């Protein structure tokens, strides 16, 4: 499925709709360059789960856990992971196979740890269509 958004609000709303329909155990691989809107999309997912606290990218903490919504939400940013073994130190399996949903930014860095069944969300810019334009593809793997 490919969705085009033309503002941060539309990207947020797409995330919110996904959060509203999310089911426990789902893992979303979130791919895209710096500044494409991964965090905006993630904030929308959190809103769709009923999470009211501020959501930010856990660049230095690797994972941020949000428990206040209708199910736990585990937001990973593995950009700073030097070796996939670092994920074992934080107990990634408890999150990946837990009762909530995961969003993993920069998942290509831990490719070998990802389960077989994930949902890939790729966000891309195309300045030919304007600064706010995003092409978002969603596919189950």
């Amino acid at each position: 499925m490919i969705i085009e958004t033309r503002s941060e609000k539309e990207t947020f709303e797409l995330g919110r709709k996904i959060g509203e329909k999310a089911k426990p155990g789902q893992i979303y691989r979130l791919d895209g360059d710096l500044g494409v809107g991964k965090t905006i999309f993630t904030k929308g997912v959190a809103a769709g789960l009923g999470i009211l606290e501020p959501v930010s990218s856990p660049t230095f903490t690797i994972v941020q856990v949000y428990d206040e919504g209708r199910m736990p939400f585990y937001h990973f940013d593995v950009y700073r992971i030097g070796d996939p073994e670092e994920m074992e130190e934080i107990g990634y399996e408890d999150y990946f196979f837990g009762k909530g949903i995961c969003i993993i930014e920069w998942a290509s860095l831990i490719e070998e740890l990802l389960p077989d069944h994930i949902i890939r969300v790729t966000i891309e810019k195309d300045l030919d269509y304007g600064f706010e334009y995003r092409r978002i593809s969603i596919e189950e793997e």
Side-chain angles (χ1 to χ4, degrees):
M1 168 182 0
I2 296 174
I3 297 106
E4 296 176 322
T5 64
R6 299 191 182 280
S7 68
E8 281 189 3
K9 182 179 179 186
E10 287 181 12
T11 300
F12 178 92
E13 285 302 314
L14 175 61
R16 186 182 59 73
K17 288 176 187 173
I18 287 173
E20 288 173 348
K21 295 177 183 176
K23 297 177 182 143
Q26 288 181 321
I27 298 175
Y28 294 83
R29 172 188 178 143
L30 188 53
D31 295 316
D33 292 334
L34 287 170
V36 296
K38 294 185 300 290
T39 302
I40 295 294
F41 176 85
T42 301
K43 287 178 180 186
V45 172
L49 290 168
I51 295 167
L52 302 175
E53 69 181 280
V55 172
S56 60
S57 192
T59 303
F60 295 101
T61 59
I62 311 287
V63 64
Q64 180 67 43
V65 177
Y66 302 93
D67 286 320
E68 71 179 34
R70 65 180 175 87
M71 73 179 90
F73 176 42
Y74 314 118
H75 180 198
F76 287 84
D77 182 335
V78 298
Y79 184 76
R80 298 196 183 280
I81 290 284
D83 186 321
E85 288 182 12
E86 293 176 47
M87 291 293 289
E88 291 181 22
E89 294 173 13
I90 63 169
Y92 79 94
E93 289 179 329
D94 293 338
Y95 301 109
F96 283 18
F97 305 106
K99 296 179 181 173
I101 71 162
C102 294
I103 283 189
I104 307 165
E105 296 186 42
W106 303 103
S108 62
L109 298 173
I110 59 164
E111 190 92 39
E112 62 271 23
L113 300 177
L114 298 176
D116 291 336
H117 301 289
I118 62 171
I119 300 165
R120 180 189 292 256
V121 178
T122 305
I123 304 175
E124 301 170 295
K125 289 190 216 185
D126 187 337
L127 295 177
D128 289 341
Y129 293 100
F131 183 74
E132 297 287 326
Y133 173 86
R134 299 296 184 266
R135 181 180 187 268
I136 303 170
S137 59
I138 302 171
E139 57 189 321
E140 292 193 36
E141 297 185 341

